[in-house]
Amino acid sequence: MDSKQVAELSSYYLFQNYGRETICFSHGKGEHLWDLEGNRYVDFVAGIAVNCLGHAHPDLVRAVAEQASRLIHVSNLYQIKEQVDLAEALASVVPAPLGRSMFCNSGAEANEAALKLAIKHTGRRRVIACRNSFHGRTSATLSVTGQDKHRKGFEPLLSKNVEFIDFNDLEAIKGAVDGDTAAVILESVQGEGGVIPASSEYFRTARDLCTERGALMIVDEVQTGMGRTGRWFGFQHFGVVPDVISLAKALGGGVPIGAIVSTPEIARTFTPGTHGTTFGGNPLVCAAANAVIHVLKRDALVERAAEMGEKWMDELRSIASGHEEVIDVRGKGLMVGVEMGDLAREFQRYALGKGLLVNVSAGKVVRMVPPLIVSQGSIDALDQAMRDFLG
Ligand SMILES: Cc1ncc(COP(=O)(O)O)c(C=O)c1O
C-alpha cells in the first residue's frame, strides 16, 4: 500500500476532522522519518512538540518494551510504583513549592484537571484566559481557548465564567483579576497562537495579582514543557513559580500522558473520588515518561535546546534581514517561529519538497519544534532552504 491509498481509505473510514497531507510514515529514527515510498524527511514538527527524543530512541523503546512485557495497566485503585517514580522525577525538575503530581492522558485533560482544581480550591468560578490562547478541545478547555476558529459551532461553552484579556497586556490583567477569580490560565509561549512568548513583566504581574487576590496561577506547559524552550518549563524564563502547571506532549516522548503538578497544599483539595481517570498514569506511560526525563537529564538536552535555539534564531534573523516579507523571528529554545504571512504555507510546501517537515501555526507563522536531539546539520539544511526560498 502507498501513501495515496492510505489517504483514500482514510477519507472513507475516518472522520474528516483533520487536514492531512497525503504522506504516510512507515518508520522513524532520531530526527528522521521515512514514508511508505521510502522518502526520508527531517522532522521539525516532532508530532507537534511531542517526540522530544526523536523517533525510536533506544532508551524509550527499551523502557516501553520492558514495561509492556511486565505490566501495562492496573487501576489507580492500587499503588503504582512507576507513577511514584515519575512524580519523584518531576519533583526533581520543578521548582519548590511545586512537587505533587496527578496524571491523565492528554493536554486538554491536564488543563481540565487544573481548572477543576482551581475552582474547588478557591470556591470561586471565574477564570481569566488570554485571547489567542490554546488550551485544548474539551468543553472546559475550549471555553478558555481564545481563538474563534476553534470555538465556532460550540459556543456558548462555559463562557459565563470566563473572561478573555489580551496576552502580554499588563493593564488588562490588572483590571481583570479580582476577589472572584479562581484562576488565571496562561501559556509561557503561545504555541498554536503563533509562537508568541510571554514577557517576564507579564508573568510577574500575573503572579503578584494571583497571590494578592487569592486566585491560582495556572501555567499551561503542554507545548512548552519538558525542555522545549531551553528551560525545563517555560515559566522558568520569567522568575516566577505558578500554583499549578499542566504537562503532556513531550512528557511521554510520544506515549500519551498528561499531568498536572501543584503544591502539596493545593493538591490536597482533591480527595479520593473528586477527580480521576481510568488510564491516567498507568505503568506503561509512566515508564515511558521516566525514560524521557532520564534521557533529558543524562544527555543535558534542555541546556542543548537553549544553546542551539539561541544560535538558530540569530541565524534566521540574519537570513531574514532585508526581507520585508519576514515579519518576525521569535521563540524560545527549540520552539521557533518565523512569521511571514501567506508565505508561511508556501514555505511549508517548499520545505516539504526538500524533505524538511515544518508546520504552520496561526496561519502565518512557520513553527519549528524539532526533537531536542536535532543535529546542527539539519538546522543548517533548514536555514539553507529558508535562504533559497527568500531568494
Ligand atoms: C498549550 C497547549 N495546551 C493544550 C493543548 C491540548 O493538548 P492535547 O491535544 O494533548 O489535548 C495543546 C495542544 O496543542 C497546547 O499546545
Side-chain angles (χ1 to χ4, degrees):
M1 198 178 291
D2 62 17
S3 294
K4 215 161 150 240
Q5 287 166 313
V6 175
E8 275 160 20
L9 288 171
S10 156
S11 68
Y12 187 79
Y13 284 113
L14 296 177
F15 273 43
Q16 297 301 298
N17 58 320
Y18 299 107
R20 299 178 195 266
E21 300 281 349
T22 313
I23 304 173
C24 181
F25 300 111
S26 61
H27 64 288
K29 183 80 197 147
E31 59 189 335
H32 292 117
L33 281 167
W34 283 262
D35 65 17
L36 291 173
E37 289 69 36
N39 301 306
R40 193 183 84 165
Y41 303 83
V42 184
D43 189 4
F44 286 91
V45 178
I48 314 191
V50 168
N51 305 90
C52 57
L53 304 185
H55 301 278
H57 191 286
D59 291 87
L60 182 54
V61 170
R62 196 177 321 115
V64 170
E66 275 179 10
Q67 188 60 48
S69 70
R70 211 167 39 240
L71 187 65
I72 291 178
H73 179 84
V74 289
S75 166
N76 280 307
L77 290 170
Y78 306 99
Q79 299 295 330
I80 299 175
K81 161 106 175 28
E82 296 75 14
Q83 208 176 96
V84 177
D85 290 344
L86 178 56
E88 192 179 4
L90 282 171
S92 76
V93 293
V94 291
L98 296 175
R100 200 160 280 198
S101 297
M102 183 178 66
F103 299 102
C104 55
N105 312 291
S106 68
E109 270 185 68
N111 287 327
E112 282 274 347
L115 292 168
K116 280 180 71 179
L117 181 64
I119 287 166
K120 191 149 198 301
H121 186 74
T122 59
R124 305 170 182 176
R125 291 279 171 280
R126 220 168 139 257
V127 176
I128 311 296
C130 285
R131 296 199 179 90
N132 202 42
S133 62
F134 186 84
H135 297 295
R137 309 265 194 170
T138 61
S139 293
T141 58
L142 203 49
S143 300
V144 292
T145 287
Q147 297 190 55
D148 290 343
K149 70 174 181 196
H150 298 302
R151 300 164 60 93
K152 217 169 141 212
F154 301 106
E155 297 190 280
L157 298 161
L158 314 178
S159 38
K160 217 174 80 194
N161 293 318
V162 179
E163 184 182 342
F164 285 105
I165 54 172
D166 283 343
F167 188 54
N168 278 339
D169 182 333
L170 295 178
E171 291 316 309
I173 197 165
K174 283 181 195 159
V177 184
D178 62 19
D180 290 329
T181 307
V184 175
I185 182 165
L186 300 171
E187 290 160 274
S188 48
V189 181
Q190 287 191 332
E192 301 306 299
V195 192
I196 305 172
S199 72
S200 291
E201 212 185 345
Y202 190 64
F203 258 54
R204 283 203 287 265
T205 303
R207 176 65 278 175
D208 290 347
L209 288 167
C210 285
T211 305
E212 199 180 289
R213 298 178 192 170
L216 296 195
M217 181 181 187
I218 301 172
V219 178
D220 177 345
E221 293 280 349
V222 167
Q223 191 162 149
T224 44
M226 310 313 292
R228 167 65 48 199
T229 69
R231 303 293 299 264
W232 276 93
F233 306 100
F235 68 79
Q236 292 177 301
H237 291 280
F238 311 131
V240 302
V241 182
D243 298 300
V244 189
I245 64 170
S246 52
L247 301 171
K249 287 191 182 272
L251 177 59
V255 173
I257 176 169
I260 54 171
V261 186
S262 185
T263 67
E265 186 230 330
I266 295 168
R268 275 194 283 276
T269 296
F270 277 167
T271 51
T274 42
H275 192 69
T277 153
T278 298
F279 291 121
N282 82 13
L284 184 73
V285 296
C286 289
N290 278 321
V292 167
I293 296 180
H294 172 73
V295 175
L296 289 175
K297 281 183 177 176
R298 185 195 65 198
D299 298 348
L301 293 178
V302 183
E303 297 77 3
R304 186 177 189 271
E307 273 167 38
M308 287 186 101
E310 284 313 308
K311 224 173 103 199
W312 189 12
M313 279 185 278
D314 284 348
E315 184 60 23
L316 285 168
R317 283 187 192 109
S318 106
I319 292 168
S321 75
H323 289 279
E324 278 174 15
E325 57 276 39
V326 178
I327 295 148
D328 198 12
V329 175
R330 58 179 179 252
K332 289 219 178 284
L334 286 173
M335 183 170 184
V336 174
V338 182
E339 183 172 347
M340 52 202 301
D342 293 341
L343 283 184
R345 290 217 188 276
E346 267 183 53
F347 178 73
Q348 182 187 20
R349 297 234 71 77
Y350 178 83
L352 183 61
K354 305 253 169 223
L356 303 166
L357 300 173
V358 301
N359 160 256
V360 173
S361 79
K364 59 184 181 186
V365 180
V366 177
R367 172 175 46 180
M368 291 165 294
V369 282
L372 305 187
I373 51 97
V374 66
S375 67
Q376 188 57 49
S378 290
I379 289 180
D380 293 344
L382 192 287
D383 291 349
Q384 190 56 46
M386 184 62 84
R387 228 176 261 117
D388 295 344
F389 176 77
L390 293 172

